Amino acid sequence: MASNLELNKGQTSTQTPVKKTLKQSTKDHISGYLYISPFFILFGIFGVFPIVFTAFISFHKWDILGTREFVGFRNYQLLFTDPLFWKSLGNTFSIWVISTIPQLFMALIIAFVLNQAFLKGKQFFRLSVFLPNITSVVAVAIIFDSIFGHHYGILNYFLSIFGIENINWKGTYLGTHIAIATMVIWRWVGYNSIIYLSALQSIPKDLYEAATIDGASKMQQFFMITIPMIRPMIIFTVILSTIGGMQIFAEAQIFSGAGGGALDQGLTMTLYLYEEAFVRNAFGYASSIAWVLFLIIVLFSLFNLFLTNRIKSAE
Amino acid sequence: MNEVGIKWYHPGRISVYVLLILITFLSIFPFYWMFVIGSNTTAAVAKFPPVMVPGANFITNAQNVFATIEFFRAIMNSIIVSTAITASVLFFCSLAGFAFAKLEFTGKNKLFIFIIATMMVPAQLGLIPSYMIIAKLGWINNLNALIVPAAVNAFGVFWMRQAIMSTIPNELVDAGRMDGCSNFRIYWNVVLPIIRPSLATLGLITFMNVWNDFLWPLVVLKDKASQTIQLALKTLNGAYYTDFAMVMAGTFMATIPILIVFLMFSKQFIAGLTEGSVKH
């Protein structure tokens, strides 16, 4: 009876307003396309066109003022034999490894701790963990420049208490990479913690209760329930850190100075791109760097996606 | 359940608090350190062991900052750019989010996936042609160069679509239609008031991102009068690094506005980030 009634109701409601729904559908099409058009117009001008045009320029020798000369793949050939490019690639990956891997593990631990039910002052701790993320990269670079100072830096002072001699952070590859990675970690670990925390909070409590009844230890629960359940967020943060880390620029430029320092120890790929384009006006060459950088980001993101996908899924 | 009997001084609990206090210290210390150096003289800073407490020289350092860079001009530029972009992002992204969440039109899903895919493209890829466009438009040294390209973004559209889908029932939209509301009226009078918390979160994220942006402003704003505060800070640090106390005082003052904005909205913001994603 009940289903019959519902069926009738359904029929009448689809039949009577036929004219109206048609009109509504046209209206929805017009407003739908109209409302999303600003994005597509802007993306067309400042997204699609620049990307295509970058590819076009990369096949030319061009200093923007002079004549444009078609050179085919020569910029790319030059790039692959350019020691500076390989150095910038090495620096970028070195900084990425030192910053991202410890950072995501730390974020996971912080999120886990922040999620403890007994914790007092949750709001305060969440806020203070997140706080570094609001500062600008410029401010962060200036502050850590002083913390990592050679002669008067507070970090060297702190280390000297433990008998470690003055370290010249700025003058060495590893020192520079550690300093830049520290800036990245300091600025982003809280952000990633909050992302993980939101994922932890969406795990149903009864899963843990059932596991406790079954005699699973806290450690087992962490690896068998927590990690698989927040896997989508882990993938999200890994991809985001990959894209962000490959584009690192301001920290390096301010910490090591223009050009990335005397040994090019702070020369990242984006810094190299900036230098070629806007300091040396080699727009064609810089455009080929931009495309190679983009391909590296895509490939490295896919590689990391493949790795993180191997984390045991919740299903 | 079985943890009810555990006292706060249980070793596991103490280590949790110790860890959190350590992290809080590490989070806040650089802010403190910024003020310590910014309020001492450079001579007092260049010592080993370094000074650890604030000095009395902050006002002098601040005056030196004002004499060296156009500090207030730069702050004003940053406020104009951040406010204009935030307002425009909130409007256009929520409008597009509304279309994707509640309107039926051909190709909707494909277009949405396309928008998501554009998030993967790094900004640097189009940096050089974008610069050329801005130069052609005559917007070098003009704040429009920052505002117009950033007026709407993919993340915002994604964020607003999720928010509208999870908070606005279809019945509400239908009821609005029964009353003869146009789509825009429904968006303006029904949807916008309900999604205010999501707008606040997106607004704060956008404002902070724009305030802290560096590479693009560095490329298109060369003139001192048009510089944003981040560029002014870079000038201050690059040219006057010998007066380190002054540089730090400037950095400290440049951080204050964004700190105030963040603390004003922080409760809602953190709640928006953590609790928002619970409802899928």
Side-chain angles (χ1 to χ4, degrees):
Chain A
M1 269 303 270
S3 62
N4 233 343
L5 255 172
E6 264 174 31
L7 210 70
N8 280 335
K9 230 169 83 187
Q11 274 174 351
T12 46
S13 66
T14 45
Q15 272 165 4
T16 36
V18 162
K19 247 185 165 170
K20 219 179 154 191
T21 36
L22 253 181
K23 235 179 105 197
Q24 188 62 47
S25 158
T26 327
K27 271 196 214 159
D28 280 3
H29 270 81
I30 296 169
S31 358
Y33 293 130
L34 190 67
Y35 295 171
I36 65 171
S37 61
F39 175 86
F40 286 94
I41 294 170
L42 222 51
F43 185 73
I45 301 172
F46 293 102
V48 177
F49 168 73
I51 290 166
V52 175
F53 203 59
T54 302
F56 174 76
I57 307 172
S58 74
F59 296 114
H60 292 80
K61 187 182 172 184
W62 194 16
D63 64 358
I64 218 174
L65 295 169
T67 48
R68 197 173 59 216
E69 182 196 338
F70 181 79
V71 293
F73 279 95
R74 210 180 71 197
N75 282 329
Y76 291 92
Q77 280 167 353
L78 281 174
L79 190 63
F80 289 118
T81 51
D82 178 354
L84 264 186
F85 171 72
W86 290 107
K87 211 175 234 183
S88 73
L89 187 73
N91 288 340
T92 307
F93 272 88
S94 163
I95 293 167
W96 185 85
V97 169
I98 306 173
S99 64
T100 305
I101 295 172
Q103 183 198 157
L104 293 183
F105 276 106
M106 276 156 65
L108 204 56
I109 293 167
I110 296 170
F112 188 72
V113 166
L114 279 175
N115 197 35
Q116 295 303 311
F118 64 83
L119 191 66
K120 300 268 191 305
K122 279 196 176 87
Q123 281 295 336
F124 170 76
F125 285 123
R126 280 179 198 175
L127 190 67
S128 49
V129 161
F130 189 83
L131 201 60
N133 195 245
I134 69 159
T135 48
S136 71
V137 276
V138 180
V140 172
I142 292 174
I143 298 166
F144 280 81
D145 199 359
S146 128
I147 290 177
F148 280 92
H150 185 183
H151 296 294
Y152 313 115
I154 193 165
L155 184 66
N156 273 349
Y157 170 68
F158 182 70
L159 291 174
S160 72
I161 298 172
F162 299 97
I164 297 168
E165 283 298 302
N166 263 5
I167 299 172
N168 184 5
W169 298 100
K170 264 193 180 178
T172 58
Y173 277 92
L174 190 63
T176 301
H177 295 180
I178 289 176
I180 293 173
T182 309
M183 298 178 206
V184 177
I185 293 176
W186 184 73
R187 194 152 170 262
W188 288 101
V189 72
Y191 174 89
N192 285 317
S193 306
I194 297 294
I195 300 259
Y196 287 152
L197 179 64
S198 76
L200 287 178
Q201 287 179 336
S202 62
I203 303 176
K205 297 273 174 296
D206 44 351
L207 275 179
Y208 292 105
E209 284 164 22
T212 310
I213 291 167
D214 288 345
S217 72
K218 282 259 182 265
M219 204 59 146
Q220 282 172 320
Q221 291 181 20
F222 184 74
F223 284 108
M224 307 304 279
I225 300 174
T226 311
I227 296 289
M229 288 297 284
I230 63 170
R231 182 171 154 266
M233 278 304 186
I234 293 179
I235 294 175
F236 174 76
T237 54
V238 167
I239 298 299
L240 228 61
S241 317
T242 306
I243 297 172
M246 292 290 110
Q247 299 182 59
I248 202 145
F249 170 74
E251 293 93 336
Q253 199 203 27
I254 291 168
F255 188 77
S256 292
L263 303 167
D264 307 308
Q265 69 274 34
L267 187 73
T268 61
M269 285 192 284
T270 306
L271 184 52
Y272 192 39
L273 160 64
Y274 174 83
E275 293 274 325
E276 285 298 329
F278 300 104
V279 178
R280 291 190 272 278
N281 283 335
F283 282 83
Y285 193 56
S287 296
S288 67
I289 300 176
W291 262 97
V292 171
L293 174 63
F294 174 57
L295 292 179
I296 289 171
I297 290 176
V298 169
L299 290 177
F300 194 47
S301 299
L302 288 176
F303 174 73
N304 282 329
L305 185 66
F306 168 76
L307 278 189
T308 34
N309 254 327
R310 297 182 60 176
I311 299 172
K312 210 171 148 236
S313 152
E315 280 84 43
Chain B
M1 293 293 124
N2 56 352
E3 291 179 7
V4 174
I6 297 178
K7 295 286 193 301
W8 68 268
Y9 48 78
H10 180 274
R13 294 196 170 184
I14 289 192
S15 54
V16 161
Y17 282 109
V18 167
L19 181 68
L20 279 178
I21 288 165
L22 180 72
I23 290 162
T24 304
F25 172 77
L26 291 176
S27 288
I28 293 173
F29 181 76
F31 290 96
Y32 172 75
W33 181 244
M34 190 156 59
F35 187 69
V36 168
I37 295 190
S39 61
N40 278 292
T41 61
T42 297
V45 173
K47 265 195 321 202
F48 205 72
V51 282
M52 291 287 187
V53 286
N57 214 36
F58 184 74
I59 306 283
T60 319
N61 287 334
Q63 280 164 347
N64 287 340
V65 171
F66 301 147
T68 320
I69 54 169
E70 296 188 51
F71 183 83
F72 290 106
R73 181 85 186 252
I75 288 275
M76 210 50 222
N77 286 338
S78 278
I79 290 175
I80 293 169
V81 171
S82 304
T83 311
I85 293 179
T86 303
S88 128
V89 159
L90 287 182
F91 176 68
F92 287 121
C93 291
S94 61
L95 197 60
F98 167 66
F100 280 119
K102 295 296 168 195
L103 301 180
E104 289 307 324
F105 52 93
T106 320
K108 181 169 96 164
N109 291 330
K110 281 187 188 131
L111 289 169
F112 185 67
I113 289 169
F114 176 79
I115 290 186
I116 300 291
T118 65
M119 284 200 266
M120 302 288 290
V121 183
Q124 281 88 331
L125 186 52
L127 192 66
I128 295 160
S130 297
Y131 169 78
M132 292 169 176
I133 295 173
I134 295 296
K136 269 258 155 54
L137 289 168
W139 283 352
I140 300 292
N141 295 328
N142 186 326
L143 296 181
N144 278 340
L146 305 190
I147 297 169
V148 175
V152 51
N153 63 58
F155 173 77
V157 175
F158 168 76
W159 177 266
M160 290 324 302
R161 175 185 176 262
Q162 300 305 102
I164 292 169
M165 277 178 56
S166 64
T167 53
I168 315 265
N170 284 333
E171 290 77 19
L172 209 57
V173 177
D174 292 340
R177 283 190 174 148
M178 294 290 191
D179 294 343
C181 286
S182 67
N183 281 327
F184 191 78
R185 276 288 299 276
I186 293 175
Y187 158 76
W188 192 258
N189 290 343
V190 178
V191 174
L192 274 193
I194 300 179
I195 55 167
R196 222 178 268 158
S198 306
L199 287 172
T201 309
L202 179 63
L204 193 57
I205 294 175
T206 310
F207 194 92
M208 292 198 309
N209 281 343
V210 177
W211 185 273
N212 292 332
D213 198 11
F214 181 64
L215 177 57
W216 179 240
L218 181 67
V219 169
V220 290
L221 304 178
K222 313 276 184 195
D223 185 30
K224 269 197 174 162
S226 67
Q227 281 187 343
T228 60
I229 186 64
Q230 306 307 334
L231 298 179
L233 267 189
K234 202 222 162 205
T235 311
L236 191 66
N237 184 51
Y240 304 94
Y241 60 92
T242 42
D243 191 354
F244 207 70
M246 176 186 81
V247 172
M248 279 298 211
T251 311
F252 181 76
M253 288 188 294
T255 310
I256 293 294
I258 198 74
L259 190 68
I260 292 171
V261 172
F262 175 71
L263 290 178
M264 260 163 44
F265 295 99
S266 61
K267 212 171 169 184
Q268 201 174 15
F269 178 65
I270 301 278
L273 279 183
T274 48
E275 274 119 49
S277 70
V278 176
K279 309 172 200 101
H280 286 290

